[in-house]
Amino acid sequence: DGGITQSPKYLFRKEGQNVTLSCEQNLNHDAMYWYRQDPGQGLRLIYYSQIVNDFQKGDIAEGYSVSREKKESFPLTVTSAQKNPTAFYLCASTNWPPDNSPLHFGNGTRLTVT
Amino acid sequence: DQQVKQNSPSLSVQEGRISILNCDYTNSMFDYFLWYKKYPAEGPTFLISISSIKDKNEDGRFTVFLNKSAKHLSLHIVPSQPGDSAVYFCAASPTGAQKLVFGQGTRLTINP
C-alpha cells in the first residue's frame, strides 16, 4: 500500500537537544511538506520541497532545518533554537507541478520537549 | 494574519441530523478549497474539494458550498453519523500553488 510513514509516533527530548523527525513516502510524489499543529491554531507550514535537493521556507521555519537528498525522504530537524518545539508534526506529499491533487498526510509525530 | 478562519471551535449535532461547518477566508487569490477530517493522533485525510468556478460540490453525504462574494464556504454532512465525530479543517490555496493555508479546525461531535 502506498503512503507516508512518519517515525517515531511519540518522541521525548530534553531542552537544548536537536531532534530529527523522519518522513518517508512511497507514493512517487515530487513535493513534500512539513506542518506543525498546535491546539487552536490549525496547521502551519514549516518547510516544503518540490524536487530533490531543493526546499523552501514556509511560514514558521525559524528553528527548523530540512534536507531532501532522496525523493522518498524529507527529514525535519528541530533545533535547540526553536523556542516552542513541543507540538504535533505532520508530513505531507503531493504531485508536482500542482494539479489540485490533495495533500496526503502521514500519521504525525508528537514531540515533547522538557 | 489568519487568512482562513473557522470561527466555531466546536459543534455538537444529533445523529441523523445535518452538520454544517463554516469557513471564511480573506485572500481573494484563493481559488481552490478543501476540507480535511482528522481523528486524534492521526494525520488529516482529504474529504472534499471545490474550485472557484463552482459553487457546489457533492460527494455522497458531504456537500461543500462556496460563496465567492462573501468569501465563505461551508461543509454540509447529512445525515450525520457517529463516525463523523472528528476535527474538520478547511484549507485554501491559489490554483497551482499547492501551499495550503489551513483554518484552526472545528471539533464535530455527533451525539447518539
Side-chain angles (χ1 to χ4, degrees), chain A residues 62-83:
Chain A
E62 186 176 349
Y64 298 99
S65 66
V66 293
S67 63
R68 187 85 186 278
E69 297 176 1
K70 298 187 302 182
K71 184 176 182 177
E72 302 80 18
S73 178
F74 191 40
L76 173 74
T77 297
V78 185
T79 75
S80 56
Q82 168 49 233
K83 295 178 182 176

Side-chain angles (χ1 to χ4, degrees), chain A residues 9 33 35 37 40 42-43 45 48 88 90 98 100-103 105-107, chain B residues 32 34 36 38 41-44 46 89 95-100 102-104:
Chain A
K9 193 169 182 66
Y33 303 76
Y35 283 87
Q37 184 191 7
L43 280 66
L45 182 63
Y48 64 105
F88 189 55
L90 287 158
N100 282 341
S101 299
L103 289 181
F105 283 88
N107 278 333
Chain B
Y32 183 60
L34 308 90
Y36 281 83
K38 185 182 180 302
E42 293 183 9
F46 169 71
F89 290 98
T95 296
Q98 285 291 11
K99 258 183 70 174
L100 291 180
F102 285 83
Q104 308 96 309

Side-chain angles (χ1 to χ4, degrees), chain B residues 17-19 21 61-62 75-80 84 88 108:
Chain B
R17 298 286 182 97
I18 184 171
S19 296
L21 295 94
R61 296 186 299 114
F62 303 92
L75 175 68
H76 292 211
I77 306 173
V78 55
S80 299
D84 296 328
Y88 289 78
L108 175 65

Side-chain angles (χ1 to χ4, degrees), chain B residues 55-72:
Chain B
D55 53 18
K56 176 182 174 181
N57 189 27
E58 267 183 279
D59 184 1
R61 296 186 299 114
F62 303 92
T63 303
V64 56
F65 294 92
L66 176 63
N67 182 334
K68 290 185 290 292
S69 61
K71 294 190 175 68
H72 176 83

Side-chain angles (χ1 to χ4, degrees), chain A residues 5-106:
Chain A
T5 301
Q6 291 187 243
S7 60
K9 193 169 182 66
Y10 299 96
L11 193 53
F12 298 88
R13 280 294 182 270
K14 295 286 188 185
E15 194 174 321
Q17 293 178 336
N18 292 354
V19 58
T20 298
L21 283 60
S22 169
C23 178
E24 303 278 333
Q25 55 99 359
N26 60 4
L27 298 166
N28 200 32
H29 285 161
D30 291 301
M32 297 187 73
Y33 303 76
W34 276 104
Y35 283 87
R36 167 181 171 145
Q37 184 191 7
D38 295 283
Q41 294 200 48
L43 280 66
R44 293 182 292 167
L45 182 63
I46 304 172
Y47 267 98
Y48 64 105
S49 168
Q50 298 161 1
I51 56 172
V52 174
N53 292 323
D54 188 42
F55 47 82
Q56 284 79 40
K57 292 182 179 180
D59 301 317
I60 55 165
E62 186 176 349
Y64 298 99
S65 66
V66 293
S67 63
R68 187 85 186 278
E69 297 176 1
K70 298 187 302 182
K71 184 176 182 177
E72 302 80 18
S73 178
F74 191 40
L76 173 74
T77 297
V78 185
T79 75
S80 56
Q82 168 49 233
K83 295 178 182 176
N84 296 295
T86 294
F88 189 55
Y89 290 88
L90 287 158
C91 179
S93 70
T94 191
N95 295 321
W96 193 269
D99 57 4
N100 282 341
S101 299
L103 289 181
H104 294 257
F105 283 88

